[in-house]
Amino acid sequence: VLRMDVDHLGRIFKEGLKNKDGQQIGSLARMSMLSFQVSLFFEGWLKKIIQQDKYQQLIYAVYSGGDDLFLVGPWNLMPILAIDIMQNLEKFVSFNPDIHLSGGLTFIHGKYPIHEAARDAGNAETSSKAAGRNRFTFLDVTSTWQTFLEIQNKSEQLIEIIAEGGSRNLLQILQHLGQMERSAQLQAGEKRVWGPWMWQTDYHLSQAITRANQPQLKEKIKALHQNIRQEMYDGNKLQDWGTAARWAQLLIRKTS
C-alpha cells in the first residue's frame, strides 16, 4: 500500500508565484492554473505511469487526485512505482528543487482491512514528513529519495551475488550488523558512531571471499567488501546495506 503527497503545497501557492524581484504576482488566473497543473499530474499523468507494461495492469488506484495518491499493488512492484512517480514529478516541474513528494509504503496480506492499510501507509508517510520531507519510508526505514535509490542499487548488487552462488546467509548478517549500527546511531543522534559491527563486517565479508568457489563470484564479493568498507567508515552507511539486504531477501525468497 503506497501513499504519497506533495510537500508544503500551501507554501507553494503562497510563495511560489513571485517574480525574480520577489514580488507576489499570484493572480487568480495564475493560482487557478497552478492548481490545475497539480491536479493534472495526479489525476491524469499518474494513470499513464501505472499503465506501463512493467506494472502488468496490477496497480489499483484507490484514490489519486489533488496533490496525493493512495495505491495498492504487488509488493515487489510498489517500491519501483514510487521511484517512477517521484522521478516523473521531477520532470513535470522541470526539476524545481522546491517541489517534491514524501511517501510511505507498507506491506499487508490479502485479508487485511483496507482502511487499516490506509492508516498504516499514512503513518509511514507521516514518518517521512517528520524526518524532514522529500523522503520515503520503506521497510520501516525513512530515507531521502537519493538514499533510497542507492539502497535499490545495493539490493540489486546483493541479488546478483546470490544469483552467482553467494550464500544467502550474507543477507542475514548484513541485516543484523546494519541494525547494530542503526541502534547506536539513534542513541548518538548526529554524532558519528563506531562499534564492533565494523570489524565484524570486515571479518564476515573476508570469510565470504575465502569461501567463494568461483573466480567471478570472488571478485564480486571483493568489490562488495570494498564498497561497504568505504561507506561504513566514511559515513555510517552500513544500515543502508542492512535495508538493502532485507529488500533482496524478500525478492529472492522461495514461495510455496
Side-chain angles (χ1 to χ4, degrees):
V1 177
L2 173 66
R3 293 188 65 172
M4 306 172 77
D5 75 359
V6 177
D7 296 320
H8 297 303
L9 186 62
R11 184 183 298 176
I12 293 171
F13 276 91
K14 182 180 179 181
E15 302 176 5
L17 295 172
K18 295 181 180 180
N19 62 20
K20 62 182 180 180
D21 297 322
Q23 297 174 324
Q24 182 60 254
I25 57 172
S27 65
L28 181 61
R30 289 190 174 103
M31 296 281 281
S32 178
M33 178 56 69
L34 176 58
S35 178
F36 169 75
Q37 292 290 344
V38 173
S39 296
L40 181 63
F41 179 84
F42 286 93
E43 297 174 17
W45 189 247
L46 181 72
K47 184 177 180 180
K48 301 291 290 185
I49 297 173
I50 65 179
Q51 286 179 340
Q52 294 178 84
D53 290 342
K54 62 182 174 180
Y55 300 120
Q56 306 166 36
Q57 298 183 336
L58 294 173
I59 309 300
Y60 177 68
V62 179
Y63 175 79
S64 177
D67 74 322
D68 63 345
L69 57 86
F70 173 20
L71 307 177
V72 178
W75 81 267
N76 58 313
L77 297 179
M78 299 304 275
I80 311 304
L81 175 60
I83 292 172
D84 227 354
I85 293 169
M86 179 272 292
Q87 292 178 332
N88 269 267
L89 182 68
E90 282 186 333
K91 295 176 183 177
F92 189 77
V93 301
S94 299
F95 299 95
N96 186 325
D98 295 321
I99 305 178
H100 40 70
L101 291 164
S102 289
L105 179 65
T106 56
F107 299 156
I108 62 171
H109 56 73
K111 296 182 180 180
Y112 197 72
I114 194 66
H115 68 277
E116 293 187 22
R119 179 201 61 203
D120 294 346
N123 290 339
E125 182 183 11
T126 299
S127 295
S128 297
K129 292 183 177 297
R133 302 181 189 264
N134 197 16
R135 284 165 168 76
F136 188 60
T137 298
F138 173 65
L139 295 175
D140 297 322
V141 175
T142 300
S143 57
T144 65
W145 284 106
Q146 180 57 44
T147 297
F148 185 60
L149 289 170
E150 293 171 1
I151 290 172
Q152 180 192 25
N153 290 333
K154 289 174 170 62
S155 177
E156 292 172 352
Q157 186 178 351
L158 292 170
I159 290 173
E160 187 176 341
I161 287 174
I162 302 304
E164 291 283 345
S167 172
R168 295 191 181 194
N169 189 48
L170 177 61
L171 302 180
Q172 198 66 38
I173 291 170
L174 288 175
Q175 289 178 66
H176 173 67
L177 296 173
Q179 186 57 50
M180 289 176 64
E181 182 189 85
R182 186 181 302 279
S183 297
Q185 188 70 71
L186 287 173
Q187 293 181 6
E190 298 296 324
K191 297 179 181 178
R192 282 292 309 273
V193 293
W194 307 83
W197 58 86
M198 300 175 121
W199 48 88
Q200 288 179 26
T201 300
D202 273 332
Y203 169 77
H204 285 294
L205 287 172
S206 297
Q207 290 296 305
I209 294 169
T210 301
R211 289 192 296 267
N213 54 14
Q214 299 176 18
Q216 186 175 0
L217 175 60
K218 190 180 291 288
E219 290 305 313
K220 287 185 177 181
I221 299 177
K222 283 182 179 179
L224 174 69
H225 188 189
Q226 182 177 1
N227 290 342
I228 291 179
R229 190 174 192 179
Q230 180 175 350
E231 292 188 359
M232 181 171 59
Y233 284 96
D234 287 349
N236 291 144
K237 285 200 170 185
L238 182 59
Q239 51 197 298
D240 292 344
W241 282 100
T243 304
R246 175 59 176 151
W247 191 353
Q249 186 180 56
L250 289 169
L251 286 170
I252 66 177
R253 67 181 178 178
K254 293 182 179 179
T255 56
S256 57

